[in-house]
Amino acid sequence: QVQLVESGGGLVQPGGSLRLACAASGSIISINTMGWYRQPPGKQRELVATITSGGRTNYADSVKGRFTISRDNAKNTVYLQMNSLKPEDTAVYYCNADVILTTEHLYRRREVWGQGTLVTVSS
């Protein structure tokens, strides 16, 4: 019963910025690592950035210095601030979370994916 919902995608010009958000809801006990992945047209899904529950971050080389991942644990939300966007950043961006949840009196670990949000960088 855990759901991730992404928002904030859209069309931007090269050099522009977007801020993505992903909110988790459901019977959540805790969320460990959260991350953003993307799938460019015709390519495999790739890691963009991750952030642990303690705030440790990791970025793909292609986005270092341009993207910033953050989270609000009280809101079960992860963000991705994308600056200096390039056409090659065009992709469907997916939110991912490693979640501890309760279902029928049991604790379970589950990896949950959002539905994806499209980011298009073009002039």
Side-chain angles (χ1 to χ4, degrees), residues 45-60:
R45 187 176 300 185
E46 64 185 19
L47 175 70
V48 176
T50 60
I51 183 168
T52 68
S53 60
R56 183 179 180 184
T57 59
N58 186 55
Y59 297 92

Side-chain angles (χ1 to χ4, degrees), residues 29-52:
I29 298 300
S30 64
I31 303 178
N32 299 320
T33 301
M34 304 183 77
W36 289 95
Y37 296 74
R38 68 186 183 186
Q39 187 168 14
K43 296 184 178 181
Q44 295 291 319
R45 187 176 300 185
E46 64 185 19
L47 175 70
V48 176
T50 60
I51 183 168
T52 68

Side-chain angles (χ1 to χ4, degrees):
Q1 287 190 267
V2 175
Q3 183 179 9
L4 303 181
V5 179
E6 299 104 333
S7 62
L11 174 65
V12 296
Q13 296 183 2
S17 298
L18 279 178
R19 183 176 175 86
L20 306 182
C22 171
S25 61
S27 301
I28 299 170
I29 298 300
S30 64
I31 303 178
N32 299 320
T33 301
M34 304 183 77
W36 289 95
Y37 296 74
R38 68 186 183 186
Q39 187 168 14
K43 296 184 178 181
Q44 295 291 319
R45 187 176 300 185
E46 64 185 19
L47 175 70
V48 176
T50 60
I51 183 168
T52 68
S53 60
R56 183 179 180 184
T57 59
N58 186 55
Y59 297 92
D61 289 340
S62 59
V63 306
K64 286 181 179 177
R66 300 188 298 120
F67 290 11
T68 302
I69 189 171
S70 61
R71 63 190 286 172
D72 185 336
N73 291 331
K75 296 182 178 180
N76 289 330
T77 299
V78 63
Y79 305 92
L80 185 68
Q81 178 67 46
M82 304 184 294
N83 299 325
S84 302
L85 284 162
K86 305 175 180 179
E88 50 263 44
D89 294 319
T90 296
V92 177
Y93 284 71
Y94 297 91
C95 177
N96 173 271
D98 183 7
V99 179
I100 305 298
L101 55 90
T102 60
T103 56
E104 298 182 347
H105 305 95
L106 294 175
Y107 284 9
R108 296 184 178 182
R109 174 188 175 272
R110 182 174 298 169
E111 187 177 63
V112 184
W113 291 90
Q115 82 286 352
T117 185
L118 178 63
V119 173
T120 302
V121 184
S122 177
S123 59

